[in-house]
Amino acid sequence: MNALAGQIGVKVINLPSPRFFRELFHPGNLSLFLSGFSEGSEASPPCRCTGTTPTAFRRSNPGPAFPADRMIREFREMVNRYGGAAKPIWNTELYFTADWIRPRFSPDFYRADENAVRYLTDLGEGVKQGISIHLTTFWVPLLSPHIKVGPNNPEWIPGENAVMFNALARWFEGAEPLAKFRLEPDTVCYVYRRRDRSLIAAVWNYGRLSGLTPGWRNIRVMDLYGNPLTPAEAAISSAPLFCLPEGIGESEFLKQLKQTSLEWKQPFRPAQVVRKVGDTRWITLRNRSKKAASCTLRLNGGKGGEGKGTIAGGASAVLRLPVRDAVPVTSISFSGSEEQFPVREYENPVIRAGEVIRIASPDGVLRANGTIAVRAGRAVCRFRVEDTTRAGVSPLRAPWQTDSLELFLDFEPQNFPLSGAENYTAETIRLFLLPEERGAGQFVLDSLSLRREEFRWSVHRDSTGYTVECGFPIRKGAKVLGFSVRANDAESPRSVAVRSAQWGKGPLHRNRCCFGIVMLP
C-alpha cells in the first residue's frame, strides 16, 4: 500500500496510538473511525482516498450475495456520510475475479471474460485500480496448458488475458464513466467517454445467460478481444461486448443502448433434471421470451425422442414423453439450434395410492411394508417395521441415528426450477416417527408448508417391531405426490443406526428428485 500511495501522490501517514485501534474495533465505532480518519489532525493528516480489497464482492449483480456495483455504491455512501467530502475509491487487490475456486495452474484460473467484467465494472462505477497483474495471468505454457501438479516452464505464449488486456488498454485507457443502463434479462450496459472525447460502451449479461440478440443499428460491435462482429454474430453473454457509434450522434447512440430490447435466439431452456417415472419422462421447459412460442425438442441419449409444445411468454410447462429405451437422457436440444443443454436423469419408483411398499436393508435384518392411501383430501401412511433390537433413548443422537421411520413428502414433484432442481423447496417435507421416544418426542417435523397441528400420527412398539400411522392434508386437485420412506435401526443406546432400508434411490435427505412418485386418484 505504501508503494501505491507513493505512485498516486498520497502522503503515507503514521497511524495513531493503540487506543485508536481499540476504539476502531469496538462495536458501532466505524463512523468514528471514518470521520476522524478523514478530518485528520496535526499528527495525522487527513486521508485523501480510500481503498478496498473486494474479496466478498468480486462479480456484478445478481450473482453473489454481495454484488460488486451495489457494494461499491454503499461503500462510497458510507465514506461520504462519515468523511465529509467525497474521497476517491481504489481497488487494491483483485487476485480472484470469480466466485468459485479453480485448480491454481489450470488455464481458466484467470478467465478473460471475468477479468474484463471486473475492470469494466470498476471503471463504470468510478473506482480506480492499483493492482499487480501476475505473469501467469498473461502467459500460458505452449505444450501442457492443462497441467495441474505445479508450474512448468517450457515455451510460454501470450494467453487470452494478454489479448483481452491489450484490447482494454487500446479502447478504454483514460476513459471516464458516463452512464449506466439496466436491461432485461440480467444485463448491464456501461457507457464511457474516451480520452479523445468519443463514446464507447460495454455490455454483458451478469446472470450468465447467453444467446441474447440486441438488434442495434449503426453501432459497431467488438468482442472482448477487440475483434469486429457482424450483427448476426453480436450476441449478449457473460463476456462483454464493446460498442461504438457508427454514423450516428451521441444522443442516438445513448438512446439505442438505453432502449435496447433483447431477444432470444432460442427462447426455451430446460431444467437441469429429467425425471423418469415409469414409462414416461418429465421435462420442464421455460419460455424466456415475452411472447408465446412453439418448440420441438430432442432428447439425446439412447433412442432419445422428440416432443412439441407451445408455452406462453415467461411461463414454464412440463412435457411428458414416452420412454423408448433404458438409456438415460444426457442432454436436450431444440430444432433450429445447435446448442445442447446437459441434464441429469433420475429414475423414480412409482406406485398408485393404496399399493403396498416393501423395503429391506441389504443384510435383510430390517424390513418394513406399508401403504399410502387417500381419502377426503388427506393422505394416510401406515407402515409396519420389523425390528427386534431396541435402540433405547439417547439425547446425543439425531433422529436418523436411532430407531426411526422417516417420511419424505413433496407436494410439487413436477416443479423443476431451471437450476437447483434437486434442492428441497417450501413444498418439501421431512418428518420422523420415533418408537423409543415418548409423547410429543415421537414426532419430529421439518416443514415450511404444513404445521405440526395438521398431522395426525401414532406409534406403537411391540416385541418384534413397531407400527406407525401418519395422516396429513394434500393439495386439492393434486394428481401426483413425491413420496419416500426410510427405516433406520440402532441396536443399543450406545450405538447409532447400523442399517437402513428405503423406498427411493439416492440421498433422500438432500435430493428431492430421488423421491418416489405416488399417483393419486
Side-chain angles (χ1 to χ4, degrees):
M1 187 65 189
N2 287 1
L4 170 64
Q7 292 171 14
I8 63 175
V10 176
K11 183 176 180 179
V12 179
I13 64 173
N14 295 319
L15 292 176
S17 66
R19 179 171 176 259
F20 175 87
F21 287 100
R22 288 197 300 270
E23 295 295 327
L24 167 61
F25 292 107
H26 189 276
N29 280 1
L30 181 60
S31 60
L32 173 65
F33 159 67
L34 288 171
S35 59
F37 200 49
S38 298
E39 295 168 1
S41 64
E42 292 183 2
S44 298
C47 172
R48 299 196 179 108
C49 72
T50 54
T52 66
T53 55
T55 307
F57 51 99
R58 294 173 287 235
R59 292 189 63 87
S60 299
N61 187 45
F66 303 101
D69 51 357
R70 178 168 64 86
M71 293 302 292
I72 291 170
R73 182 182 69 252
E74 292 179 359
F75 182 75
R76 177 178 283 114
E77 291 173 353
M78 181 177 64
V79 171
N80 293 348
R81 184 184 313 122
Y82 297 117
K87 302 293 188 298
I89 297 177
W90 284 74
N91 181 345
T92 57
E93 182 178 326
L94 192 64
Y95 294 108
F96 305 103
T97 55
D99 285 319
W100 51 85
I101 302 300
R102 304 188 180 98
R104 185 168 182 80
F105 299 104
S106 66
D108 60 353
F109 185 57
Y110 296 104
R111 276 179 39 176
D113 59 333
E114 292 169 351
N115 279 323
V117 163
R118 182 65 213 205
Y119 279 78
L120 291 167
T121 299
D122 280 350
L123 183 61
E125 298 295 334
V127 175
K128 302 180 184 298
Q129 292 185 345
I131 304 164
S132 300
I133 300 176
H134 296 265
L135 287 177
T136 52
T137 303
F138 288 117
W139 298 89
V140 294
L142 175 63
L143 299 178
S144 52
H146 296 283
I147 191 167
K148 297 180 181 179
V149 297
N152 59 337
N153 295 281
E155 183 177 0
W156 290 69
I157 60 173
E160 294 180 0
N161 280 297
V163 183
M164 179 273 297
F165 280 124
N166 180 62
L168 283 182
R170 187 190 333 157
W171 293 104
F172 293 90
E173 184 178 11
E176 297 178 350
L178 179 67
K180 176 183 178 182
F181 306 128
R182 291 281 189 187
L183 308 174
E184 291 295 334
D186 298 347
T187 301
V188 66
C189 171
Y190 285 102
V191 185
Y192 314 87
R193 187 171 295 281
R194 301 178 65 207
R195 180 176 291 176
D196 63 3
R197 311 311 296 166
S198 64
L199 298 187
I200 188 171
V203 185
W204 67 89
N205 184 276
Y206 51 77
R208 299 172 185 169
L209 303 175
S210 59
L212 291 160
T213 57
W216 295 317
R217 295 181 180 180
N218 299 315
I219 290 181
R220 177 185 171 190
V221 183
M222 299 174 286
D223 65 15
L224 78 162
Y225 304 109
N227 300 312
L229 300 175
T230 66
E233 295 171 331
I236 305 296
S237 67
S238 59
L241 295 180
F242 304 156
C243 305
L244 297 165
E246 192 169 56
I248 57 176
E250 288 188 0
S251 59
E252 176 62 22
F253 180 60
L254 291 170
K255 180 180 178 181
Q256 274 203 55
L257 294 175
K258 184 177 182 179
Q259 297 179 356
T260 298
S261 179
L262 299 176
E263 297 290 340
W264 293 97
K265 287 185 176 180
Q266 190 287 106
F268 294 96
R269 182 182 173 188
Q272 295 175 339
V273 303
V274 171
R275 296 189 85 158
K276 182 181 177 183
V277 181
D279 58 359
T280 304
R281 285 189 169 102
W282 295 354
I283 302 101
T284 294
L285 298 181
R286 181 171 180 81
N287 179 0
R288 297 176 290 183
S289 70
K290 298 178 181 179
K291 303 176 182 178
S294 300
C295 71
T296 299
L297 66 84
R298 298 191 188 93
L299 303 181
N300 304 312
K303 295 182 179 180
E306 286 191 355
K308 297 181 179 181
T310 300
I311 304 175
S316 297
V318 177
L319 300 185
R320 293 174 177 82
L321 302 182
V323 175
R324 295 186 174 183
D325 59 18
V327 179
V329 173
T330 57
S331 66
I332 292 175
S333 56
F334 295 89
S335 177
S337 173
E338 296 181 356
E339 186 176 11
Q340 293 193 7
F341 297 87
V343 295
R344 294 177 294 277
E345 180 173 293
Y346 290 90
E347 183 174 0
N348 303 133
V350 58
I351 62 167
R352 294 190 178 278
E355 293 181 356
V356 177
I357 297 174
R358 291 183 174 87
I359 56 176
S361 61
D363 60 8
V365 174
L366 179 65
R367 296 178 179 275
N369 65 83
T371 61
I372 174 170
V374 177
R375 60 175 177 268
R378 293 182 65 86
V380 179
C381 303
R382 292 188 179 90
F383 277 86
R384 172 65 185 179
V385 180
E386 302 297 335
D387 177 12
T388 57
T389 62
R390 300 293 294 265
V393 178
S394 173
L396 302 179
R397 292 182 299 203
W400 57 88
Q401 294 178 316
T402 185
D403 287 356
S404 61
L405 188 78
E406 300 182 53
L407 298 182
F408 301 85
L409 312 174
D410 186 358
F411 293 113
E412 294 185 348
Q414 300 176 91
N415 176 21
F416 304 146
L418 295 186
S419 60
E422 295 99 333
N423 298 337
Y424 277 28
T425 71
E427 298 298 321
T428 309
I429 294 174
R430 184 186 185 189
L431 63 90
F432 299 84
L433 295 155
L434 305 163
E436 295 295 312
E437 300 293 335
R438 294 292 179 267
Q442 289 185 321
F443 184 81
V444 176
L445 176 65
D446 183 3
S447 170
L448 294 176
S449 57
L450 291 182
R451 303 185 309 276
R452 186 183 182 93
E453 299 79 36
E454 296 179 272
F455 290 85
R456 300 292 181 268
W457 54 270
S458 63
V459 182
H460 300 287
R461 182 69 144 152
D462 56 45
S463 60
T464 61
Y466 54 95
T467 302
V468 302
E469 182 174 312
C470 182
F472 51 89
I474 57 176
R475 302 295 185 263
K476 184 178 181 180
K479 296 299 181 182
V480 293
L481 173 69
F483 177 80
S484 277
V485 59
R486 177 183 174 96
N488 303 299
D489 178 25
E491 296 183 333
S492 74
R494 295 182 299 276
S495 76
V496 295
V498 296
R499 63 182 61 87
S500 62
Q502 70 180 44
W503 188 70
K505 300 179 180 180
L508 303 174
H509 63 284
R510 67 171 183 266
N511 189 338
R512 70 189 187 98
C513 290
C514 296
F515 295 6
I517 299 295
V518 178
M519 310 301 293
L520 303 177

